[in-house]
Amino acid sequence: MTPGAWKLTGVGLALVLLLVLGAAGGGRLAACHYRPLLDVANTDLATAKLARDNLETLAGEQGRKLGELVLAGELRERNAALAQEKARQEAQPDYAAANNLLRERTGGDPAQAASAIIDKELGL
């Protein structure tokens, strides 16, 4: 090889070495800059996942409790309907007796009995 070729090869190797060193240095600078940001982002991610898991647990528990409340409400509604029907059946003889008394006082006319009840309710 000629001395000019050696010189060109040496310059080329020096350029390649400078490029490799520049890339390594740039990578290190980028890592130093972004590592703290990535650490904070990872911490935030872990916190968000934990919060999400807690909310999922609470939502599931709330759904179960709501279901229990709905079932308890339906049970109370059925029990109230049964109690109302029982009271209606137990009061039937009293209603019949009251109607008989009212008919006797008004002469047996149902319209006159209804009119008397309405007048009594209105305070006339």
Side-chain angles (χ1 to χ4, degrees):
M1 276 199 176
T2 65
W6 282 106
K7 195 175 191 182
L8 188 58
T9 303
V11 170
L13 286 175
L15 284 174
V16 169
L17 182 61
L18 282 175
L19 286 174
V20 169
L21 288 175
R28 179 144 174 84
L29 285 174
C32 288
H33 175 73
Y34 287 111
R35 177 54 46 202
L37 297 175
L38 287 173
D39 290 343
V40 169
N42 283 332
T43 302
D44 290 347
L45 177 64
T47 303
K49 284 182 179 180
L50 183 62
R52 183 201 61 206
D53 292 343
N54 286 339
L55 287 174
E56 284 178 353
T57 302
L58 290 173
E61 184 177 331
Q62 186 179 25
R64 283 189 298 278
K65 292 292 182 181
L66 185 59
E68 291 173 7
L69 287 174
V70 168
L71 290 177
E74 290 172 354
L75 180 62
R76 282 194 303 273
E77 185 179 354
R78 283 191 300 261
N79 288 340
L82 290 174
Q84 189 177 17
E85 184 59 32
K86 181 181 175 189
R88 186 178 292 122
Q89 289 174 357
E90 289 175 354
Q92 193 61 36
D94 294 333
Y95 280 125
N99 283 332
N100 286 337
L101 281 174
L102 193 56
R103 276 193 214 117
E104 288 174 6
R105 287 186 180 173
T106 59
D109 184 14
Q112 206 173 14
S115 176
I117 290 172
I118 292 170
D119 288 346
K120 184 176 180 182
E121 287 292 320
L122 293 175
L124 299 176

